[in-house]
Amino acid sequence: MVTFLLFGTFALLIALKVPIAFAMGLACIVVALFSPSLTLTFIAQGLVTSTDSFALMAIPFFVLAGELMGKGGISRRLFNFINVFVGRFYGGTAMAAVITCIFFAAISGSGPATVAAVGGMMIPMMISEGYDSRFTTVLLATAGALGIIIPPSIPLVLFGVGSGTSIGDLFKGGMIPGVFIGICLCIYVYFYSKKIGYRGNQEPFSLKRLKSSFREAIWAILVPIIILGGIYGGIFTPTEAAVVAVFYSLFVSVFIYREVKLSDLFTILCNAAGSSATILIVIGTATTFGTIMSLERIPEAVAAGMLAISSNPIIATLLIVVILLIVGMFMDTSAAVVIFTPILFPISMEVGINPVHFGIIMIVTLAIGFITPPVGVNLFVAMNIGKTTMVQIFPYIIPFLLVCLAGLTVILLVPQLTLFLV
């Protein structure tokens, strides 16, 4: 009865287009009203205790650092530096956009934030250079998904908290897979551009241009080096790294690049607070939702059912990937991580999958959900910038989706891509 009420109410509210955080919270309240073993006090306590975590403090700080960097001209300087190397090739501007997203992903920790920061500059620029607006929109939406794979990543923090896996190890594990998928996207962009005729800027590589762009971008390039180097070197924890990122980005944006004025800080802080609050509300309601599922032994039932199909690690992982691909089409990434980690993580342990490897597989799979309708958050951010519609861009989603699935398959079958740095 409890299971029926929980999932039935949740499905009904989602069908009525209630925001997912409120849908989960209201489903929990309905269960508490009809269940003799649960109370509204339990729900309220769950909302508070689920977000009372030192590790989760990294989320608002990384969001704020991403806001500061996005407004501080970081993405433009990164692009100019990268364009010196790849701008002359077929699809050079598009490849530079992907690589810029890789760098910015190591700053923001968020997919939509990466799309907004890099896409806001790159989509109009690429369209003005003759790129099809539909191709450009999907390209930036896909490249923006790297924001949750390459560390620091908010979903990786959530997975680490939910599974007890070292967040530092997860950050190390996400580096190579994230860059690998970025390279796959660049390869596809090159051959597609060569076929269509998207030529580069025809400017030869020169040390003078390199020196000039490097001097402009050096402070931006140092951001991921400081953050990730500090974590991997044991100088500070991921949460402390997020605080360092805020102070560094504030200093660079205000005093060096001078593109953020003191009068802009209130707006930036409000935007960061709104984004952080949205994520934390999702975490609170999703954790409470997951706790009720655990009390009803739903994870054990799912695990038993899947292991009855096969205990082979590869087959079990493929089943999990299929489930997560479907989930990613309909559910917010943060909510999906919080809800499904306690369900699927024990299955991965049962069949002997390395915790870090499983975490990266889970996050990469959910990252694909950023470009799969009907939710596809990155698509909607990019469509708003590129002034396109879902009907227009849908045919262009398929090739990028296949590239991402191919990259995910390699990551799944070659664990050393994830575990090499770990």
Side-chain angles (χ1 to χ4, degrees):
M1 182 64 180
V2 171
T3 303
F4 174 78
L5 279 175
L6 185 68
F7 285 97
T9 305
F10 177 67
L12 175 63
L13 292 171
I14 290 295
L16 294 173
K17 297 185 178 180
V18 175
I20 190 164
F22 297 107
M24 288 187 292
L26 289 169
C28 294
I29 290 172
V30 169
V31 168
L33 291 174
F34 288 93
S35 171
S37 60
L38 295 175
T39 64
L40 292 177
T41 303
F42 170 83
I43 305 299
Q45 289 174 336
L47 293 173
V48 175
T49 57
S50 60
T51 54
D52 184 15
S53 166
F54 178 76
L56 289 180
M57 287 176 64
I59 293 174
F61 285 114
F62 276 131
V63 170
L64 178 55
E67 283 284 336
L68 287 165
M69 289 292 182
K71 299 293 190 299
I74 301 297
S75 53
R76 186 180 71 254
R77 289 172 172 84
L78 284 173
F79 169 77
N80 290 337
F81 173 67
I82 294 163
N83 202 41
V84 173
F85 295 95
V86 300
R88 64 189 185 278
F89 299 115
Y90 280 100
T93 304
M95 286 193 287
V98 172
I99 300 170
T100 303
C101 285
I102 292 175
F103 271 90
F104 200 85
I107 298 170
S108 70
S110 164
T114 302
V115 178
V118 181
M121 173 192 68
M122 290 305 309
I123 291 176
M125 179 191 295
M126 290 177 63
I127 292 173
S128 69
E129 290 185 9
Y131 284 86
D132 189 301
S133 61
R134 297 166 296 177
F135 168 79
T136 303
T137 297
V138 180
L139 170 68
L140 268 297
T142 308
L146 299 174
I148 70 165
I149 303 171
I150 296 173
S153 159
I154 291 171
L156 282 178
V157 172
L158 296 178
F159 178 84
V161 172
S163 66
T165 307
S166 165
I167 295 174
D169 284 348
L170 288 167
F171 279 9
K172 293 176 185 177
M175 180 62 72
I176 295 176
V179 173
F180 171 71
I181 291 179
I183 292 172
C184 291
L185 289 174
C186 286
I187 292 171
Y188 169 72
V189 164
Y190 173 79
F191 285 105
Y192 177 83
S193 299
K194 192 171 183 179
K195 176 183 176 182
I196 300 298
Y198 295 144
R199 293 185 174 274
N201 55 28
Q202 307 299 311
E203 293 184 31
F205 176 84
S206 73
L207 290 175
K208 183 178 179 181
R209 285 180 64 217
L210 176 62
K211 184 178 178 181
S212 174
S213 61
F214 179 76
R215 187 165 54 245
E216 277 282 300
I218 181 62
W219 294 99
I221 295 170
L222 284 174
V223 177
I225 295 174
I226 291 172
I227 294 173
L228 301 179
I231 295 172
Y232 300 160
I235 300 172
F236 36 66
T237 67
T239 301
E240 293 163 346
V243 179
V244 171
V246 168
F247 279 96
Y248 181 87
S249 56
L250 179 65
F251 177 77
V252 171
S253 299
V254 174
F255 297 106
I256 296 179
Y257 290 155
R258 298 181 181 179
E259 296 201 13
V260 172
K261 299 180 178 61
L262 292 177
S263 59
D264 298 328
L265 291 180
F266 180 75
T267 302
I268 291 172
L269 287 168
C270 287
N271 290 340
S275 299
S276 301
T278 301
I279 295 170
L280 291 172
I281 289 171
V282 168
I283 292 170
T285 54
T287 303
T288 307
F289 193 93
T291 301
I292 295 175
M293 286 197 301
S294 297
L295 292 173
E296 292 300 308
R297 299 186 177 276
I298 295 172
E300 289 90 333
V302 173
M306 291 186 66
L307 291 173
I309 297 173
S310 176
S311 59
N312 181 287
I314 294 178
I315 294 176
T317 307
L318 286 173
L319 288 172
I320 290 171
V321 165
V322 171
I323 291 172
L324 291 175
L325 284 172
I326 296 170
V327 167
M329 293 173 65
F330 300 97
M331 188 174 288
D332 175 83
T333 303
S334 297
V337 173
V338 176
I339 290 175
F340 286 93
T341 295
I343 296 175
L344 301 177
F345 184 70
I347 300 173
S348 70
M349 294 296 94
E350 188 75 25
V351 297
I353 304 171
N354 182 281
V356 175
H357 187 212
F358 177 75
I360 300 305
I361 290 171
M362 184 173 185
I363 300 306
V364 172
T365 306
L366 290 173
I368 295 174
F370 278 125
I371 61 165
T372 52
V375 176
V377 179
N378 281 16
L379 288 176
F380 288 101
V381 175
M383 282 191 300
N384 185 54
I385 299 170
K387 303 294 187 293
T388 54
T389 65
M390 185 65 73
V391 174
Q392 290 174 328
I393 68 171
F394 187 78
Y396 290 80
I397 296 173
I398 306 301
F400 282 101
L401 185 59
L402 292 175
V403 170
C404 291
L405 288 173
L408 173 61
T409 302
V410 174
I411 292 167
L412 193 158
L413 296 176
V414 186
Q416 280 307 309
L417 274 178
T418 299
L419 303 177
F420 179 76
L421 293 177
V422 181

